[in-house]
Amino acid sequence: MKDASPQPVYLKDYTPPAYLVDTVHLTFRLAPEKTRVLSRIAFRPNPAATTRDFFLHGEDLRLVSARIDGQAITPEITPEGLRADAPDAPFLFEAEVEIDPAANTALEGLYLSNGMFCTQCEAEGFRKITYYPDRPDVMAVFTVRIEGDQPVMLSNGNPVAQGEGWAEWHDPWPKPGYLFALVAGDLVAQSDRFTTRSGRAVDLNIWVRPGDEDKCAFGMEALKKSMRWDEEVYGREYDLDLFNIVAVDDFNMGAMENKGLNIFNSSCVLSTPETATDANFERIEAIIAHEYFHNWTGNRITCRDWFQLCLKEGLTVYRDSQFTADMRSAPVKRISDVIALRARQFREDAGPLAHPVRPESFIEINNFYTATVYEKGAELIGMLKRLVGDDAYARALDLYFTRHDGQACTIEDWLKVFEDATGRDLAQFKRWYQEAGTPRLRVSDDFKNGTYTLHFEQETPPTPGQDTKQPRVIPIAVGLLGPNGDEVQPTVVLEMTEARQSFAFDGLASRPIPSILRDFSAPVILERATDNAERAFLFAHDTDPFNRWEAGRALARETLLAMIRDGAAPDPAYLDAAHAMVRDEALDPAFRALALALPSEDELAQALFATGTPPDPQAIWEAREALDITRAEAMRDTLADLYTAHQVTAPYRPDPEQTGARALSNAALGLITRRDGGARALAQYDGADNMTQQLAALACLMRAGKGAEVTQAFYRQWRHDRLVLDKWFGLQIMQAAPAEAAETAARLTEHPDFTLRNPNRFRAVMGALAGFPAGFHHASGRGYRLMAEMLIRLDPLNPQTTARMCSAFETWPRFDAERQALILGEIERILATPGLSRDTTEMLSRIRDA
Ligand code: TRP
Ligand code: ZN
């Protein structure tokens, strides 16, 4: 039992490494089952160290030989690594190990994907390749020689030399082991070139399997735009002669920022109009940018330890959001980000897995690549920028890059840069990094003698391990509207620092309507006693696009909650407001599509739970269905025109204009199908020349119960394309009736094209089920049972992907006693599985013990 009772690691226990590394030479003799890795590592004692313990991480390695300064040694070997006596002076460590990439189904370390060798080392995968101080504060210059019969053999940095059966690479930039990468296989490149603003020519390649060459063009454009943008906005230039991207089918996450050799889940880089949706294109552009931006925020400046993960991830997500806002529509990006934040991060923050943006302990770091670290981490950067202002933000970032280039840093270093650049004390702001939970911001107001006062009260509920919370600094962007809809007070940022605080606006002729938390200026839950008439007013008049959307969202949410809780009929105030909004041709179609989407089932469940009502997933699903049918009826005279007016007839382009138009026409199609039973959807399906329209039509047909034939036809058309087939798997579950979703998922796990070896395929099925509350939480418990069975089967193969999927169970405390008992029963069953991985054990114990 190698994973028996693993111990947590604590932030407070950080100690500097005993030895530092100057240079690393690696030689790989590639063979699927017996790859040899030879290492030559130049160590020297770390002057800042407190011990001289020479310990190297290493897991699942067969040590062939080891030497120190040429002398053979017999080190002590444990399941975690190697320990030896080492000199108190610089020395050369050499080792030869054997590893088995073919047996590596965990997709961490060196593994095979479709016969291609590839690596994934973040966070602690390098130790599965060779013995090494596998921690991000040990940075070294790597030289790599690859020997094998693969036509293409790549590693980090620049190519040095190559010959028949070998290639050598050198990366001049010191880096931690987690940024190491190697790829070898039968690959072809789409190539291009970029000239940096100082005139350096950079070769760009996107490497793919033969046959996928035509799927790289969009990704390449996204890469060049990202490079230009980082120069223009952050003053950051690329620093090597070569930038390689490789597409890999079997990958645990989205993509990885290895220095000079980014590795991508093929779903996050490959695209053609026929196979990728508009949403896929947007995501590809954002992820290419994200990984590229890591070159400065992550690679040149990295993390001291994994507790500081948000230092690189929060900042890089923030940067890629800014990029998307610049490339596309800023309001649409902001609204989409907030929808995702609430769906994933607020959910996490309100449940048993809640943790601070900078956690203080972990058992398995892979379990902390979370919405809190990434998305809330990005929100903290946005708040900081709003608090100090744009100029100060730019100065602070310049200081960050000059002061810390080449270093492994902490959140303290990050905040100090802002303090030094602005003279501001950020001690209170730091609480955002240290305390988990989403603050509730309660607002009331009064109006006397021309003075309007807003009274705020903040409170953060307890989270696991943190019973009491301190007041945080909250930037609250506020504007005021007059009764005729004119803005009487343009946006100001109020800085709340106390538990309760009031802000007055005087000189007003009449009581204004407040627009609070504009642009979602802080990741909090706003609570304000108001009514649907005021929401409708803001939905019609607010000058802040985010709050305008937010008012419509709240109106829809309140309407649905009243239907669910009291069996009320849909509020005509909502129907009228929504109808007026979709017809307003002055509004961006993408905005209208967003405003037409109903709050998700999960968002409604969150809202019910927050007010003390256990959500009934079936009732929530039925209310959304009922409201959709009512909307289709109420808007019937508009929908056909709306659909036709926004049909794109020009050749397909994944640009913001066409994307917005298709989003709106497809939203209209959904409502039209409620009344015509699928005639229009079938016409769209038959005429579609792109995946966005084909898939939207297919979804409508399935939902209308008319999908059987097209589902078969879609399979026949696309069975050769893994990424499209993933959509086919997922959609059948998402569009099933709640009582049939688990059965549909179970049936699909028996399909010949289903495999546990490919994370995308596993997520397509099980992620779709988890993302469909009425199906997953069906009272029969079938969804829970299937999830448990599949997690038990996947865990021995791929602990990382298994552990991530466990969050499907994180909402158990919301539910009624019957569902709670069913979920906890399944959790216990999984936990009782012999040999369960550390990853999955940690996740399920945290979920259960909340
Ligand atoms: N650092 C990567 C990113 O955010 C994500 C990442 C972490 C990752 N661990 C991984 C990707 C494991 C794939 C597999 O860009
Ligand atoms: Zn990242």
Side-chain angles (χ1 to χ4, degrees):
M1 282 269 299
K2 80 168 205 262
D3 285 336
S5 70
Q7 293 307 302
V9 197
Y10 294 93
L11 168 61
K12 63 173 167 47
D13 291 345
Y14 173 84
T15 51
Y19 291 87
L20 300 176
V21 177
D22 289 319
T23 58
V24 182
H25 285 80
L26 298 174
T27 299
F28 287 80
R29 301 201 174 123
L30 296 176
E33 274 137 39
K34 287 178 183 322
T35 287
R36 288 283 170 117
V37 185
L38 287 71
S39 60
R40 263 191 298 139
I41 310 172
F43 283 99
R44 78 185 140 84
N46 180 4
T50 49
T51 73
R52 281 285 165 260
D53 181 24
F54 183 62
F55 174 78
L56 303 180
H57 298 103
E59 283 174 21
D60 305 331
L61 307 173
R62 192 175 73 76
L63 181 64
V64 179
S65 65
R67 285 190 296 271
I68 284 183
D69 285 336
Q71 297 290 310
I73 57 164
T74 324
E76 174 200 344
I77 304 285
T78 71
E80 286 83 42
L82 166 164
R83 180 166 274 115
D85 292 328
D88 198 5
F91 64 93
L92 188 69
F93 172 86
E94 291 167 285
E96 179 167 354
V97 303
E98 190 176 276
I99 53 179
D100 184 352
N104 183 352
T105 58
L107 315 183
E108 192 184 43
L110 179 66
Y111 64 95
L112 285 169
S113 173
N114 296 317
M116 162 179 141
F117 288 90
C118 58
T119 56
Q120 172 54 42
C121 293
E122 186 176 5
E124 299 182 333
F126 191 65
R127 63 189 64 183
K128 294 183 163 183
I129 292 176
T130 194
Y131 286 104
Y132 197 72
D134 188 8
R135 41 187 291 170
D137 56 353
V138 175
M139 299 172 83
V141 171
F142 281 64
T143 307
V144 176
R145 179 182 167 91
I146 311 170
E147 298 174 6
D149 49 19
Q150 278 65 31
V152 174
M153 299 193 284
L154 312 171
S155 190
N156 314 87
N158 299 314
V160 186
Q162 57 187 314
E164 189 60 30
W166 62 275
E168 269 179 31
W169 292 81
H170 178 75
D171 181 0
W173 299 102
K175 66 169 176 292
Y178 85 87
L179 289 173
F180 167 81
L182 176 155
V183 172
D186 183 11
L187 293 164
V188 288
Q190 261 309 90
S191 304
D192 209 322
R193 183 165 264 228
F194 179 85
T195 306
T196 69
R197 63 171 179 182
S198 71
R200 175 203 280 271
V202 184
D203 288 323
L204 312 176
N205 299 300
I206 299 183
W207 296 92
V208 297
R209 288 158 64 183
D212 283 340
E213 301 89 327
D214 61 339
K215 296 184 174 170
C216 304
F218 179 82
M220 185 61 86
E221 289 310 306
L223 175 59
K224 289 186 287 181
K225 285 188 203 170
S226 307
M227 296 177 86
R228 190 61 73 209
W229 185 91
D230 214 13
E231 292 182 345
E232 287 171 356
V233 180
Y234 280 83
R236 299 294 108 202
E237 242 182 86
Y238 188 60
D239 53 7
L240 290 166
D241 308 331
L242 179 61
F243 189 79
N244 281 320
I245 286 177
V246 184
V248 174
D249 284 332
D250 305 292
F251 206 65
N252 279 334
M253 306 243 259
M256 180 62 211
E257 69 264 24
N258 316 299
K259 184 80 188 193
L261 180 53
N262 287 2
I263 299 183
F264 274 63
N265 186 321
S266 50
S267 72
C268 298
V269 54
L270 301 182
S271 63
T272 64
E274 294 75 30
T275 58
T277 62
D278 289 335
N280 295 149
F281 278 100
E282 280 191 45
R283 183 168 148 78
I284 288 166
E285 186 176 83
I287 297 186
I288 289 197
H290 179 96
E291 306 311 331
Y292 175 73
F293 296 158
H294 268 315
N295 191 53
W296 275 94
T297 52
N299 301 0
R300 288 286 287 261
I301 304 180
T302 192
C303 302
R304 185 192 71 174
D305 54 69
W306 292 116
F307 296 102
Q308 320 295 329
L309 183 59
C310 64
L311 179 75
K312 74 177 177 81
E313 295 303 348
L315 178 54
T316 306
V317 171
Y318 183 70
R319 276 153 48 71
D320 83 55
S321 299
Q322 288 182 301
F323 169 76
T324 299
D326 283 356
M327 294 300 121
R328 294 168 178 261
S329 151
V332 166
K333 174 60 175 164
R334 187 66 188 139
I335 293 164
S336 313
D337 280 353
V338 175
I339 292 172
L341 183 79
R342 286 174 171 158
R344 307 204 309 123
Q345 201 281 322
F346 281 23
R347 164 179 155 128
E348 186 166 75
D349 240 358
L353 296 176
H355 56 275
V357 172
R358 183 173 71 176
E360 302 202 337
S361 76
F362 61 75
I363 290 178
E364 171 52 62
I365 184 57
N366 281 327
N367 290 337
F368 284 84
Y369 287 74
T370 60
T372 296
V373 169
Y374 276 66
E375 272 77 39
K376 188 175 179 181
E379 290 297 318
L380 304 199
I381 311 288
M383 277 196 288
L384 204 46
K385 179 158 178 279
R386 210 178 289 266
L387 287 170
V388 302
D390 294 355
D391 291 346
Y393 177 80
R395 273 186 280 117
L397 266 286
D398 284 344
L399 183 57
Y400 181 60
F401 292 123
T402 43
R403 184 184 285 177
H404 293 297
D405 188 11
Q407 297 178 3
C409 295
T410 61
I411 289 303
E412 282 74 14
D413 295 328
W414 166 254
L415 291 176
K416 183 78 168 59
V417 153
F418 277 81
E419 292 188 327
D420 291 353
T422 65
R424 204 186 149 109
D425 178 354
L426 291 172
Q428 189 184 14
F429 188 82
K430 194 173 171 190
R431 292 176 190 162
W432 278 105
Y433 285 96
Q434 295 171 312
E435 293 189 359
T438 309
R440 305 275 183 283
L441 189 59
R442 269 188 288 278
V443 196
S444 59
D445 58 357
D446 58 54
F447 182 66
K448 269 185 240 123
N449 307 326
T451 298
Y452 178 70
T453 310
L454 284 167
H455 308 282
F456 294 95
E457 200 181 318
Q458 60 165 300
E459 192 196 328
T460 306
T463 52
Q466 290 184 335
D467 293 338
T468 56
K469 312 277 180 178
Q470 298 165 282
R472 306 184 195 179
V473 48
I474 304 180
I476 310 170
V478 170
L480 301 177
L481 303 185
N484 63 355
D486 288 347
E487 192 166 72
V488 294
Q489 166 67 61
T491 305
V492 283
V493 179
L494 311 175
E495 241 181 84
M496 183 179 189
T497 55
E498 311 288 326
R500 299 154 164 272
Q501 217 167 330
S502 299
F503 299 87
F505 302 84
D506 41 37
L508 294 162
S510 56
R511 187 185 187 102
I513 294 91
S515 167
I516 305 169
L517 212 64
R518 283 186 155 182
D519 202 36
F520 204 62
S521 60
V524 302
I525 294 171
L526 192 63
E527 292 176 356
R528 173 159 184 270
T530 172
D531 55 26
N532 281 352
E534 191 188 286
R535 294 184 185 106
F537 176 87
L538 288 169
F539 191 31
H541 298 292
D542 205 325
T543 54
D544 179 71
F546 174 81
N547 260 7
R548 191 164 179 189
W549 168 83
E550 176 82 324
R553 184 73 158 198
L555 191 51
R557 186 168 51 235
E558 292 309 315
T559 299
L560 283 161
L561 290 175
M563 292 168 72
I564 296 161
R565 257 192 310 240
D566 321 322
D571 187 342
Y574 166 69
L575 296 169
D576 293 346
H579 200 183
M581 182 276 307
V582 291
R583 277 179 301 194
D584 185 348
E585 287 299 325
L587 288 173
D588 178 3
F591 176 92
R592 279 186 275 166
L594 282 170
L596 209 47
L598 293 177
S600 70
E601 293 166 63
D602 196 70
E603 181 174 337
L604 295 165
Q606 271 184 47
L608 286 163
F609 179 55
T611 56
T613 316
D616 173 353
Q618 181 69 25
I620 292 172
W621 186 83
E622 283 169 10
R624 291 177 86 254
E625 289 289 298
L627 185 54
D628 230 20
I629 291 164
T630 312
R631 296 197 304 171
E633 192 58 38
M635 298 181 193
R636 65 183 176 279
D637 297 334
T638 309
L639 291 171
D641 288 348
L642 194 65
Y643 176 77
T644 318
H646 295 280
Q647 275 292 82
V648 177
T649 49
Y652 181 91
R653 273 180 286 117
D655 62 16
E657 290 70 33
Q658 282 198 8
T659 297
R662 274 188 292 269
L664 186 55
S665 71
N666 282 332
L669 183 66
L671 292 169
I672 288 169
T673 307
R674 296 285 183 180
R675 299 185 70 247
D676 80 353
R680 184 84 54 137
L682 191 59
Q684 174 166 320
Y685 186 90
D686 288 336
D689 66 353
N690 63 79
M691 184 50 65
T692 308
Q693 280 173 310
Q694 191 180 12
L695 203 68
L698 179 60
C700 287
L701 290 165
M702 285 177 168
R703 170 67 65 105
K706 303 280 172 60
E709 251 171 64
V710 272
T711 303
Q712 297 301 316
F714 189 94
Y715 176 76
R716 285 192 301 275
Q717 184 184 355
W718 292 115
R719 60 183 307 174
H720 62 280
D721 190 305
R722 280 179 154 203
L723 298 177
V724 181
L725 217 49
D726 287 335
K727 302 181 198 303
W728 178 83
F729 272 95
L731 204 59
Q732 294 178 70
I733 299 160
M734 294 186 259
Q735 300 304 334
E740 278 148 33
E743 215 169 314
T744 305
R747 183 171 49 73
L748 288 172
T749 64
E750 308 286 317
H751 192 279
D753 290 306
F754 182 81
T755 169
L756 291 171
R757 305 271 164 157
N758 179 263
N760 291 359
R761 188 59 46 85
F762 183 83
R763 282 187 289 257
V765 174
M766 298 313 293
L769 181 61
F772 179 9
F776 180 57
H777 296 282
H778 191 265
S780 64
R782 285 209 60 180
Y784 306 148
R785 212 171 322 131
L786 178 68
M787 182 63 75
E789 279 160 20
M790 297 306 291
L791 295 177
I792 289 170
R793 283 173 59 192
L794 185 64
D795 188 68
L797 297 170
N798 187 332
Q800 239 185 81
T801 293
T802 309
R804 293 185 79 75
M805 191 60 71
C806 289
S807 60
F809 290 130
E810 79 181 314
T811 54
W812 74 265
R814 288 180 189 170
F815 292 105
D816 51 85
E818 289 75 20
R819 283 188 175 86
Q820 291 196 356
L822 287 168
I823 299 176
L824 290 171
E826 298 300 343
I827 290 178
E828 291 300 349
R829 186 155 76 90
I830 306 169
L831 280 169
T833 309
L836 195 72
S837 69
R838 168 169 75 170
D839 311 53
T840 303
T841 306
E842 182 191 23
M843 288 297 278
L844 293 178
S845 321
R846 281 168 59 208
I847 291 173
R848 177 194 59 189
D849 296 342

